[in-house]
Amino acid sequence: MSTADGGSLAGQLIAARDRAFVGRSAEQALFRSALAGDPGAAPVLYLHGPGGIGKSALLRRFAQEARGAGRRVVEVDGRTVSPMPEGFTAAAAEAVAEPGAVLLVDTFELCQGLEGWLWEQFLPRLPLGAVAVVSGRQAPDPAWVSDPGWADVLGVMPLRNLTPEDAQAFLRARGVAEGAHHTLLSFTGGNPLALALAAAVAVRDCPTPGPASGRLPNHDVIATLVPRLVGDLPSVEHRTALEICAYAYVTSEALLRALLGERAPELFAWLRAQPYMESTVSGLFPHDVVRETLVADLRWRDPDGFVALHKRLHQYLFEQLRAAPATQILPATGALLHMHRTDGRMAHFHDWRSTGHVYDQPCAAADEARVLELIEEAEGPESAGTARYWLDRQRSAFRVYRSAQTGEIVACSAWLRLTGLEGADADPVVAAAWAHARANEPLRAGEHLALARFTVDPAHYQRPGPATTLTQWRAMGEIFRADRLAWSFVVMRNDGFWDGHLGHFDMLPTDTDPVVGDHSYRLFAHDWRAQPVVPWLAAKTDVALSGAVRPEPEPAAAAGTAPQPTEPTELVVLSRPEFDAAVRDALRALRHPARPAGNPLNRSRVVVANGGGLADVLALAVDALLLERGGDKRHRALTTTYLKAASTQEAAAERLGLPFSTYRRHLTSAVERVSDILWRHELDGEPLTRP
């Protein structure tokens, strides 16, 4: 049966593969050049890359082109050939015997022990005019790449993920609805195997576009991907090291030592040798699809192990950030915040992939003119004049962001540190910050406030982008490392774009919108004495571990068109003792409907986010006790005392049939737990749901 016969099953398979094949134009050009015998073309090509990257598909394409050119194609598969010289020679004999043959060797990693013999004895026997392509997961031994004898006849082709354009073409060719493309590309990173599996599921589950078409691949897809991508793992310790590397932003030997102990050097060396690993000056990281697949698999397969890994790694990275030298604030902060990337708001407003497009430097005297030029371009001459005032007094607070390609300054920002009323008469934004602090909780001796000022990147003005991400990282890093920081403030153009994101991270809008020149700005504030860094991070960790996905901005906002600003509810910010007292008062007042109206919880975030009244929120928190171990006792004590309106606590104890001391213990514990539940939702901004 001829494989060229379009009426045969083989012909249909070839046609289907032709339609599905996308990209790889550079690799195909090298092969065609070798096939044509062009001057300078390498007749031996070595194709390498991790599992699922599309090596076998590309070899099939090469075979088709070679046959179309009338060449004899000899295919050797490492999965079926004996990994001995005799077995390999027998399988590839026709390539040696027939001039002009094309030898294609797939899955060579299963014959890796033959590498020296292949270069020294077998390949030199090929007749002139022959073409050989060897494909495997491992890169060729550097000894052969650097060998002067092979220099002119060997071409090495590392195979990477498909480009975003080719990956989208791949999904279109598979019939995947456009609405699913972003999610699948984010998950797979352009890995062809992951794309193929995820596309099959997307087409099966959502044959037409719709809200569900953007779901992540299911556990069956993940279970299929893991062994295909990473192969057999030598031990449980190697799997753990790989999971750490997948979850961490970048993995160093020091990080492995902190989490795994003295086997770290051995495990780091093993990780470094894997074909799906990349390296930077800071350490190792896996290809995107390996990262996402391993994390998703661990999270599903061993939830407790995932939580334990998250907490250990999070604590290590936080300690590293606190101890890092000033020059390492940005990478250390990015590594910590990367652990919160499953929070949808974090993922949308922080872009870890593009941060390398710019680099951060202190503002030097020679940079001041460019900084003022950028600020005037984006915000007007009045704002540039205010920046001039601060450059004269706190130039060290300013950072510049240079293009990694040109070295030109393309953006700037400032992190002002203020200990007195300085600047209040020269900068309306600073004046508003001081007014808010004085009206709510003034600074005490030794404390200071900080203000993220002049977040300016004219190309992406106050929208997510490389420089904006680094500006946010620096602000968070400064906050995490600060001593005696009372208030932090962020100022953004008053167009509503950042309200949800900053509110989600407990930067709440103040009651004053300062005006500079022709522009109104919104000032966001956080009192770090009422909610210190450690409990704040703990609350954000709960969000990351919950897997909750935050609503994305409206399409117009995501595209860079500002939504119409809405009039926000003015929220009250309570310290934890104030919050607990308000909860106790609200519970006592439940039997008197008019009394809760004056409770400060009515303007708390947990009540406003819930969309109902204070009584509704209290009822949801009380019902949540039933989901906890021993919570039924606490639930009965609360409902009998406050919801069923027992005349006295003694009467409530009698109604429950409990000794008064036991009843009091249950009631006290219940009130504390309700306050804990409400406080957690107050911090993360999530509405309560009915159990």
Side-chain angles (χ1 to χ4, degrees):
M1 179 185 297
S2 169
T3 57
D5 182 1
S8 70
L9 179 59
Q12 292 181 28
L13 289 171
I14 290 172
R17 286 168 175 163
D18 274 348
R19 290 192 299 271
F21 190 90
V22 298
R24 309 306 190 198
S25 55
E27 291 82 0
Q28 291 186 80
L30 287 175
F31 179 74
R32 289 168 185 156
S33 182
L35 203 61
D38 293 339
V44 177
L45 301 174
Y46 196 106
L47 181 68
H48 67 92
I53 204 68
K55 300 184 296 294
S56 296
L58 185 55
L59 284 184
R60 285 195 297 269
R61 188 75 165 191
F62 289 169
Q64 182 182 345
E65 294 216 12
R67 291 189 178 103
R71 305 287 282 268
R72 173 68 174 174
V73 175
V74 180
E75 297 176 274
V76 176
D77 193 329
R79 292 169 295 187
T80 58
V81 71
S82 170
M84 301 290 289
E86 297 80 6
F88 191 98
T89 299
E94 293 184 9
V96 177
E98 184 168 337
V102 174
L103 173 64
L104 304 176
V105 182
D106 198 6
T107 328
F108 184 68
E109 68 270 11
L110 297 180
C111 303
Q112 205 72 40
L114 295 177
E115 185 174 10
W117 169 84
L118 182 78
W119 297 110
E120 291 181 330
Q121 298 189 41
F122 182 81
L123 290 176
R125 293 166 52 198
L126 292 176
L128 292 176
V131 175
V133 183
V134 180
S135 170
R137 294 193 176 194
Q138 307 296 329
D141 189 312
W144 307 114
V145 178
S146 60
D147 185 290
W150 282 103
D152 295 331
V153 293
L154 171 63
V156 179
M157 298 190 296
L159 205 58
R160 304 298 187 192
N161 287 343
L162 295 173
T163 66
E165 295 77 15
D166 288 339
Q168 284 190 302
F170 182 100
L171 292 175
R172 284 193 291 269
R174 298 296 177 99
V176 177
E178 292 285 339
H181 286 194
H182 176 74
T183 299
L184 298 189
L185 292 175
S186 297
F187 173 78
T188 63
N191 178 278
L193 172 62
L195 278 171
L197 292 172
V201 173
V203 171
R204 181 195 68 198
D205 293 348
C206 305
T208 57
S213 63
R215 293 179 299 182
L216 287 173
N218 60 27
H219 299 308
D220 292 337
V221 170
I222 291 170
T224 302
L225 279 172
V226 170
R228 295 284 297 275
L229 293 173
V230 304
D232 294 329
L233 301 176
S235 70
V236 173
E237 289 80 5
H238 287 80
R239 174 178 281 277
T240 302
L242 186 54
E243 289 168 346
I244 291 170
C245 192
Y247 200 42
Y249 184 37
V250 175
T251 298
S252 64
E253 190 173 305
L255 186 153
L256 285 185
R257 185 179 297 107
L259 272 62
L260 296 180
E262 294 308 311
R263 288 196 68 186
E266 169 197 346
L267 295 170
F268 186 82
W270 174 80
L271 286 172
R272 192 175 188 178
Q274 300 312 300
Y276 43 78
M277 283 294 167
E278 301 284 352
S279 62
T280 71
V281 294
S282 302
L284 304 173
F285 65 94
H287 291 178
D288 289 345
V289 70
V290 175
R291 182 194 291 281
E292 299 303 333
T293 300
L294 285 169
V295 171
D297 181 60
L298 175 63
R299 194 166 195 159
W300 170 77
R301 176 175 49 81
D302 184 7
D304 291 342
F306 173 78
V307 169
L309 170 60
H310 179 101
K311 291 184 175 179
R312 292 175 64 204
L313 182 57
H314 196 279
Q315 182 62 29
Y316 171 82
L317 293 175
F318 180 67
E319 292 171 357
Q320 291 294 108
L321 171 58
R322 293 277 294 176
T327 56
Q328 293 301 308
I329 288 179
L330 285 183
T333 306
L336 182 66
L337 295 180
H338 187 257
M339 296 191 66
H340 297 267
R341 67 191 185 278
T342 54
D343 180 333
R345 285 200 180 274
M346 180 71 79
H348 182 79
F349 287 89
H350 294 248
D351 186 354
W352 285 266
R353 295 182 182 179
S354 70
T355 52
H357 296 172
V358 297
Y359 58 93
D360 165 288
Q361 285 186 330
C363 177
D367 302 329
E368 291 184 9
R370 176 58 176 161
V371 166
L372 295 173
E373 178 183 311
L374 289 170
I375 293 172
E376 182 166 358
E377 177 185 348
E379 298 184 345
E382 294 85 359
S383 189
T386 305
R388 175 74 273 170
Y389 172 90
W390 288 114
L391 280 167
D392 290 341
R393 289 157 179 81
Q394 287 195 36
R395 192 178 72 215
S396 61
F398 283 77
R399 311 295 297 188
V400 297
Y401 302 92
R402 295 181 181 272
S403 165
Q405 290 186 329
T406 66
E408 177 191 4
I409 296 174
V410 295
C412 64
S413 68
W415 180 253
L416 301 176
R417 187 179 186 276
L418 307 173
T419 54
L421 291 177
E422 56 191 299
D425 57 346
D427 186 344
V429 174
V430 169
W434 279 119
H436 181 84
R438 291 199 308 273
N440 289 274
E441 191 65 45
L443 273 63
R444 296 183 285 263
E447 294 180 340
H448 68 280
L449 65 79
L451 172 60
R453 191 76 172 92
F454 307 114
T455 302
V456 168
D457 177 359
H460 308 277
Y461 181 65
Q462 295 199 354
R463 291 297 182 264
T468 308
T469 294
L470 293 184
T471 297
Q472 293 182 79
W473 289 8
R474 178 162 293 280
M476 295 311 304
E478 295 285 0
I479 289 168
F480 294 159
R481 293 158 58 90
D483 293 323
R484 306 299 304 276
L485 174 63
W487 289 92
S488 68
F489 294 89
V490 174
V491 63
M492 288 293 188
R493 184 70 60 81
N494 192 5
D495 60 11
F497 183 84
W498 291 93
D499 291 12
H501 174 69
L502 291 171
H504 172 65
F505 290 101
D506 307 307
M507 296 294 300
L508 303 178
T510 66
D511 57 5
T512 301
D513 295 335
V515 175
V516 181
D518 296 330
H519 302 296
S520 173
Y521 295 86
R522 175 152 289 181
L523 188 65
F524 301 84
H526 184 90
D527 184 350
W528 292 101
R529 298 159 300 182
Q531 189 187 7
V533 165
V534 172
W536 183 88
L537 271 174
K540 300 310 156 194
T541 294
D542 288 343
V543 172
L545 292 175
S546 73
V549 178
R550 298 292 182 270
E552 295 292 345
E554 293 297 322
T561 302
Q564 293 300 313
T566 57
E567 195 64 35
T569 300
E570 183 65 26
L571 299 179
V572 66
V573 181
L574 301 174
S575 67
R576 182 61 194 266
E578 292 169 335
F579 189 91
D580 291 342
V583 170
R584 291 192 295 270
D585 290 344
L587 287 169
R588 295 189 193 105
L590 282 175
R591 68 186 71 182
H592 305 291
R595 283 175 57 188
N599 193 297
L601 290 178
N602 284 296
R603 292 191 295 123
S604 68
R605 194 172 175 201
V606 64
V607 173
V608 173
N610 194 70
L614 174 55
D616 294 333
V617 171
L618 289 172
L620 290 172
V622 171
D623 287 346
L625 297 177
L626 292 171
L627 301 178
E628 302 177 348
R629 184 176 181 180
D632 55 335
K633 299 175 183 178
R634 292 188 286 269
H635 184 267
R636 286 197 300 271
L638 266 180
T639 55
T640 302
T641 304
Y642 298 125
L643 299 179
K644 297 180 180 178
S647 57
T648 64
Q649 291 193 355
E650 288 78 5
E654 183 177 352
R655 185 180 298 180
L656 292 168
L658 294 173
F660 187 70
S661 61
T662 302
Y663 157 78
R664 285 286 298 165
R665 187 171 67 253
H666 291 173
L667 180 62
T668 300
S669 175
V671 173
E672 290 174 352
R673 282 299 302 137
V674 167
S675 192
D676 287 343
I677 291 167
L678 293 174
W679 180 249
R680 176 165 55 84
H681 286 274
E682 174 74 6
L683 296 185
D684 66 25
E686 279 294 286
L688 282 83
T689 57
R690 189 162 299 282

